[in-house]
Amino acid sequence: MRYYLLALITVLLFVGCKQKTKVQVIKGPAQMEFINDERTYEFGTVSRKNARFTHDFKFVNKGSEPLVIHEVKTSCHCVSVDYPRSPIMSGDKGIIHVKLDFESQPEGYVKRSAYIYNNSSNRPEVRLVFEGIIED
C-alpha cells in the first residue's frame, strides 16, 4: 500500500511539472496605436490613504492583421494589468485596464511601469508609465 501511494504521488508530481510551451510570436502587419498617443498616466499628488486607483489605456489596431498581446510584465507588485486575451481584429479597439495600489510605497515621487508585448509591427514592446507624488 505504501509503495502504491508513493508511486501515485510521484506520477502526480511529474504530471504537474510539465514543460512550458513556447509561443511563437510572428510580427505581422498588426499596428497598435494608442488613442491620443497616451502611454503615460500622471496621477498628480495623492495621499497614501487614497493611493489606490485605476486607469484605462485605450488603443486601436490600425493594421491589417489581428493584434495579439502575448505577455505583460510590471515593474512593481503595486501594478496589476488586465488586458484583452483574445486577438484584436483590424480596426477594432481594445482597453488595457491598470490597477495601481501605492499605499505601501514610500512618500515622494513614484514612477512605475507596465510592459506590453505584442505582435505589432510598429510597437512590439510598449511601456506604459504611471507617475506622481505620494504624501502621508
Side-chain angles (χ1 to χ4, degrees), residues 60-81:
V60 63
N61 178 6
K62 291 197 173 181
S64 59
E65 296 293 324
L67 173 71
V68 178
I69 297 174
H70 55 85
E71 185 176 11
V72 172
K73 293 182 180 179
T74 62
S75 63
C76 176
H77 69 278
C78 58
V79 178
S80 63
V81 180

PDB file of all heavy atoms in Angstrom, residues 60-81:
ATOM      1  N   VAL A  60      -6.179  51.126 -30.593  1.00  0.00           N
ATOM      2  CA  VAL A  60      -6.864  50.599 -31.772  1.00  0.00           C
ATOM      3  C   VAL A  60      -5.829  49.845 -32.619  1.00  0.00           C
ATOM      4  O   VAL A  60      -4.659  50.227 -32.663  1.00  0.00           O
ATOM      5  CB  VAL A  60      -7.556  51.725 -32.578  1.00  0.00           C
ATOM      6  CG1 VAL A  60      -6.554  52.721 -33.118  1.00  0.00           C
ATOM      7  CG2 VAL A  60      -8.432  51.177 -33.673  1.00  0.00           C
ATOM      8  N   ASN A  61      -6.267  48.775 -33.255  1.00  0.00           N
ATOM      9  CA  ASN A  61      -5.414  48.047 -34.184  1.00  0.00           C
ATOM     10  C   ASN A  61      -5.601  48.667 -35.561  1.00  0.00           C
ATOM     11  O   ASN A  61      -6.607  48.465 -36.215  1.00  0.00           O
ATOM     12  CB  ASN A  61      -5.779  46.567 -34.213  1.00  0.00           C
ATOM     13  CG  ASN A  61      -4.939  45.793 -35.220  1.00  0.00           C
ATOM     14  OD1 ASN A  61      -4.013  46.317 -35.811  1.00  0.00           O
ATOM     15  ND2 ASN A  61      -5.285  44.534 -35.407  1.00  0.00           N
ATOM     16  N   LYS A  62      -4.611  49.426 -36.004  1.00  0.00           N
ATOM     17  CA  LYS A  62      -4.697  50.090 -37.307  1.00  0.00           C
ATOM     18  C   LYS A  62      -4.041  49.280 -38.414  1.00  0.00           C
ATOM     19  O   LYS A  62      -3.920  49.755 -39.533  1.00  0.00           O
ATOM     20  CB  LYS A  62      -4.069  51.482 -37.228  1.00  0.00           C
ATOM     21  CG  LYS A  62      -4.893  52.419 -36.371  1.00  0.00           C
ATOM     22  CD  LYS A  62      -4.522  53.852 -36.616  1.00  0.00           C
ATOM     23  CE  LYS A  62      -5.482  54.759 -35.873  1.00  0.00           C
ATOM     24  NZ  LYS A  62      -5.212  56.154 -36.085  1.00  0.00           N
ATOM     25  N   GLY A  63      -3.642  48.058 -38.086  1.00  0.00           N
ATOM     26  CA  GLY A  63      -3.036  47.201 -39.098  1.00  0.00           C
ATOM     27  C   GLY A  63      -4.062  46.348 -39.810  1.00  0.00           C
ATOM     28  O   GLY A  63      -5.264  46.450 -39.576  1.00  0.00           O
ATOM     29  N   SER A  64      -3.567  45.480 -40.677  1.00  0.00           N
ATOM     30  CA  SER A  64      -4.467  44.632 -41.471  1.00  0.00           C
ATOM     31  C   SER A  64      -4.649  43.236 -40.877  1.00  0.00           C
ATOM     32  O   SER A  64      -5.488  42.482 -41.328  1.00  0.00           O
ATOM     33  CB  SER A  64      -3.931  44.519 -42.898  1.00  0.00           C
ATOM     34  OG  SER A  64      -2.629  43.955 -42.884  1.00  0.00           O
ATOM     35  N   GLU A  65      -3.871  42.889 -39.890  1.00  0.00           N
ATOM     36  CA  GLU A  65      -3.941  41.572 -39.256  1.00  0.00           C
ATOM     37  C   GLU A  65      -4.340  41.715 -37.784  1.00  0.00           C
ATOM     38  O   GLU A  65      -4.205  42.787 -37.198  1.00  0.00           O
ATOM     39  CB  GLU A  65      -2.574  40.873 -39.349  1.00  0.00           C
ATOM     40  CG  GLU A  65      -2.133  40.580 -40.754  1.00  0.00           C
ATOM     41  CD  GLU A  65      -3.008  39.549 -41.442  1.00  0.00           C
ATOM     42  OE1 GLU A  65      -3.470  38.606 -40.776  1.00  0.00           O
ATOM     43  OE2 GLU A  65      -3.235  39.689 -42.661  1.00  0.00           O
ATOM     44  N   PRO A  66      -4.828  40.633 -37.163  1.00  0.00           N
ATOM     45  CA  PRO A  66      -5.198  40.697 -35.745  1.00  0.00           C
ATOM     46  C   PRO A  66      -4.000  41.038 -34.854  1.00  0.00           C
ATOM     47  O   PRO A  66      -2.877  40.606 -35.116  1.00  0.00           O
ATOM     48  CB  PRO A  66      -5.709  39.288 -35.443  1.00  0.00           C
ATOM     49  CG  PRO A  66      -6.108  38.731 -36.762  1.00  0.00           C
ATOM     50  CD  PRO A  66      -5.168  39.343 -37.756  1.00  0.00           C
ATOM     51  N   LEU A  67      -4.255  41.816 -33.815  1.00  0.00           N
ATOM     52  CA  LEU A  67      -3.242  42.198 -32.835  1.00  0.00           C
ATOM     53  C   LEU A  67      -3.383  41.273 -31.633  1.00  0.00           C
ATOM     54  O   LEU A  67      -4.480  41.091 -31.107  1.00  0.00           O
ATOM     55  CB  LEU A  67      -3.458  43.652 -32.403  1.00  0.00           C
ATOM     56  CG  LEU A  67      -2.583  44.164 -31.266  1.00  0.00           C
ATOM     57  CD1 LEU A  67      -1.149  44.339 -31.743  1.00  0.00           C
ATOM     58  CD2 LEU A  67      -3.117  45.475 -30.747  1.00  0.00           C
ATOM     59  N   VAL A  68      -2.269  40.680 -31.207  1.00  0.00           N
ATOM     60  CA  VAL A  68      -2.278  39.751 -30.086  1.00  0.00           C
ATOM     61  C   VAL A  68      -1.297  40.231 -29.026  1.00  0.00           C
ATOM     62  O   VAL A  68      -0.108  40.412 -29.300  1.00  0.00           O
ATOM     63  CB  VAL A  68      -1.895  38.323 -30.534  1.00  0.00           C
ATOM     64  CG1 VAL A  68      -1.857  37.379 -29.344  1.00  0.00           C
ATOM     65  CG2 VAL A  68      -2.847  37.832 -31.603  1.00  0.00           C
ATOM     66  N   ILE A  69      -1.789  40.447 -27.818  1.00  0.00           N
ATOM     67  CA  ILE A  69      -0.920  40.748 -26.675  1.00  0.00           C
ATOM     68  C   ILE A  69      -0.555  39.399 -26.070  1.00  0.00           C
ATOM     69  O   ILE A  69      -1.421  38.649 -25.636  1.00  0.00           O
ATOM     70  CB  ILE A  69      -1.635  41.640 -25.644  1.00  0.00           C
ATOM     71  CG1 ILE A  69      -1.977  42.988 -26.276  1.00  0.00           C
ATOM     72  CG2 ILE A  69      -0.767  41.808 -24.399  1.00  0.00           C
ATOM     73  CD1 ILE A  69      -2.817  43.896 -25.405  1.00  0.00           C
ATOM     74  N   HIS A  70       0.733  39.070 -26.066  1.00  0.00           N
ATOM     75  CA  HIS A  70       1.134  37.746 -25.615  1.00  0.00           C
ATOM     76  C   HIS A  70       1.816  37.731 -24.260  1.00  0.00           C
ATOM     77  O   HIS A  70       1.990  36.653 -23.667  1.00  0.00           O
ATOM     78  CB  HIS A  70       2.003  37.047 -26.665  1.00  0.00           C
ATOM     79  CG  HIS A  70       3.196  37.826 -27.091  1.00  0.00           C
ATOM     80  ND1 HIS A  70       4.374  37.810 -26.412  1.00  0.00           N
ATOM     81  CD2 HIS A  70       3.370  38.663 -28.139  1.00  0.00           C
ATOM     82  CE1 HIS A  70       5.237  38.593 -27.025  1.00  0.00           C
ATOM     83  NE2 HIS A  70       4.658  39.121 -28.078  1.00  0.00           N
ATOM     84  N   GLU A  71       2.175  38.908 -23.722  1.00  0.00           N
ATOM     85  CA  GLU A  71       2.798  38.934 -22.399  1.00  0.00           C
ATOM     86  C   GLU A  71       2.717  40.340 -21.820  1.00  0.00           C
ATOM     87  O   GLU A  71       2.786  41.320 -22.553  1.00  0.00           O
ATOM     88  CB  GLU A  71       4.263  38.495 -22.498  1.00  0.00           C
ATOM     89  CG  GLU A  71       4.952  38.367 -21.180  1.00  0.00           C
ATOM     90  CD  GLU A  71       6.378  37.840 -21.314  1.00  0.00           C
ATOM     91  OE1 GLU A  71       6.920  37.768 -22.433  1.00  0.00           O
ATOM     92  OE2 GLU A  71       6.959  37.517 -20.271  1.00  0.00           O
ATOM     93  N   VAL A  72       2.575  40.409 -20.504  1.00  0.00           N
ATOM     94  CA  VAL A  72       2.579  41.687 -19.786  1.00  0.00           C
ATOM     95  C   VAL A  72       3.454  41.522 -18.557  1.00  0.00           C
ATOM     96  O   VAL A  72       3.336  40.535 -17.834  1.00  0.00           O
ATOM     97  CB  VAL A  72       1.150  42.100 -19.369  1.00  0.00           C
ATOM     98  CG1 VAL A  72       1.185  43.316 -18.472  1.00  0.00           C
ATOM     99  CG2 VAL A  72       0.286  42.367 -20.588  1.00  0.00           C
ATOM    100  N   LYS A  73       4.351  42.471 -18.340  1.00  0.00           N
ATOM    101  CA  LYS A  73       5.197  42.481 -17.140  1.00  0.00           C
ATOM    102  C   LYS A  73       5.051  43.836 -16.463  1.00  0.00           C
ATOM    103  O   LYS A  73       4.816  44.843 -17.139  1.00  0.00           O
ATOM    104  CB  LYS A  73       6.662  42.249 -17.506  1.00  0.00           C
ATOM    105  CG  LYS A  73       6.952  40.875 -18.050  1.00  0.00           C
ATOM    106  CD  LYS A  73       8.424  40.703 -18.338  1.00  0.00           C
ATOM    107  CE  LYS A  73       8.706  39.325 -18.885  1.00  0.00           C
ATOM    108  NZ  LYS A  73      10.127  39.138 -19.189  1.00  0.00           N
ATOM    109  N   THR A  74       5.210  43.859 -15.142  1.00  0.00           N
ATOM    110  CA  THR A  74       5.139  45.115 -14.409  1.00  0.00           C
ATOM    111  C   THR A  74       6.423  45.323 -13.614  1.00  0.00           C
ATOM    112  O   THR A  74       7.129  44.361 -13.292  1.00  0.00           O
ATOM    113  CB  THR A  74       3.935  45.138 -13.442  1.00  0.00           C
ATOM    114  OG1 THR A  74       4.091  44.099 -12.476  1.00  0.00           O
ATOM    115  CG2 THR A  74       2.629  44.961 -14.195  1.00  0.00           C
ATOM    116  N   SER A  75       6.706  46.576 -13.303  1.00  0.00           N
ATOM    117  CA  SER A  75       7.927  46.895 -12.570  1.00  0.00           C
ATOM    118  C   SER A  75       7.758  46.759 -11.066  1.00  0.00           C
ATOM    119  O   SER A  75       8.722  46.889 -10.326  1.00  0.00           O
ATOM    120  CB  SER A  75       8.376  48.318 -12.918  1.00  0.00           C
ATOM    121  OG  SER A  75       7.393  49.243 -12.494  1.00  0.00           O
ATOM    122  N   CYS A  76       6.532  46.505 -10.616  1.00  0.00           N
ATOM    123  CA  CYS A  76       6.257  46.510  -9.180  1.00  0.00           C
ATOM    124  C   CYS A  76       5.012  45.671  -8.899  1.00  0.00           C
ATOM    125  O   CYS A  76       4.098  45.622  -9.724  1.00  0.00           O
ATOM    126  CB  CYS A  76       6.040  47.960  -8.732  1.00  0.00           C
ATOM    127  SG  CYS A  76       5.582  48.174  -7.021  1.00  0.00           S
ATOM    128  N   HIS A  77       4.963  45.051  -7.727  1.00  0.00           N
ATOM    129  CA  HIS A  77       3.758  44.307  -7.336  1.00  0.00           C
ATOM    130  C   HIS A  77       2.563  45.233  -7.113  1.00  0.00           C
ATOM    131  O   HIS A  77       1.428  44.781  -7.035  1.00  0.00           O
ATOM    132  CB  HIS A  77       4.031  43.497  -6.066  1.00  0.00           C
ATOM    133  CG  HIS A  77       4.227  44.360  -4.859  1.00  0.00           C
ATOM    134  ND1 HIS A  77       5.431  44.961  -4.570  1.00  0.00           N
ATOM    135  CD2 HIS A  77       3.369  44.739  -3.902  1.00  0.00           C
ATOM    136  CE1 HIS A  77       5.288  45.684  -3.464  1.00  0.00           C
ATOM    137  NE2 HIS A  77       4.060  45.557  -3.039  1.00  0.00           N
ATOM    138  N   CYS A  78       2.815  46.529  -7.047  1.00  0.00           N
ATOM    139  CA  CYS A  78       1.757  47.517  -6.814  1.00  0.00           C
ATOM    140  C   CYS A  78       0.966  47.826  -8.088  1.00  0.00           C
ATOM    141  O   CYS A  78      -0.008  48.556  -8.053  1.00  0.00           O
ATOM    142  CB  CYS A  78       2.359  48.797  -6.247  1.00  0.00           C
ATOM    143  SG  CYS A  78       3.626  49.530  -7.299  1.00  0.00           S
ATOM    144  N   VAL A  79       1.373  47.263  -9.216  1.00  0.00           N
ATOM    145  CA  VAL A  79       0.702  47.490 -10.500  1.00  0.00           C
ATOM    146  C   VAL A  79       0.150  46.157 -10.997  1.00  0.00           C
ATOM    147  O   VAL A  79       0.881  45.178 -11.097  1.00  0.00           O
ATOM    148  CB  VAL A  79       1.693  48.057 -11.551  1.00  0.00           C
ATOM    149  CG1 VAL A  79       1.006  48.236 -12.892  1.00  0.00           C
ATOM    150  CG2 VAL A  79       2.307  49.351 -11.079  1.00  0.00           C
ATOM    151  N   SER A  80      -1.140  46.116 -11.300  1.00  0.00           N
ATOM    152  CA  SER A  80      -1.717  44.922 -11.929  1.00  0.00           C
ATOM    153  C   SER A  80      -2.419  45.345 -13.212  1.00  0.00           C
ATOM    154  O   SER A  80      -2.967  46.442 -13.304  1.00  0.00           O
ATOM    155  CB  SER A  80      -2.672  44.200 -10.985  1.00  0.00           C
ATOM    156  OG  SER A  80      -3.764  45.007 -10.658  1.00  0.00           O
ATOM    157  N   VAL A  81      -2.372  44.464 -14.193  1.00  0.00           N
ATOM    158  CA  VAL A  81      -2.848  44.806 -15.530  1.00  0.00           C
ATOM    159  C   VAL A  81      -3.853  43.759 -16.009  1.00  0.00           C
ATOM    160  O   VAL A  81      -3.613  42.557 -15.909  1.00  0.00           O
ATOM    161  CB  VAL A  81      -1.665  44.873 -16.526  1.00  0.00           C
ATOM    162  CG1 VAL A  81      -2.145  45.234 -17.916  1.00  0.00           C
ATOM    163  CG2 VAL A  81      -0.621  45.871 -16.050  1.00  0.00           C
TER     164      VAL A  81
END
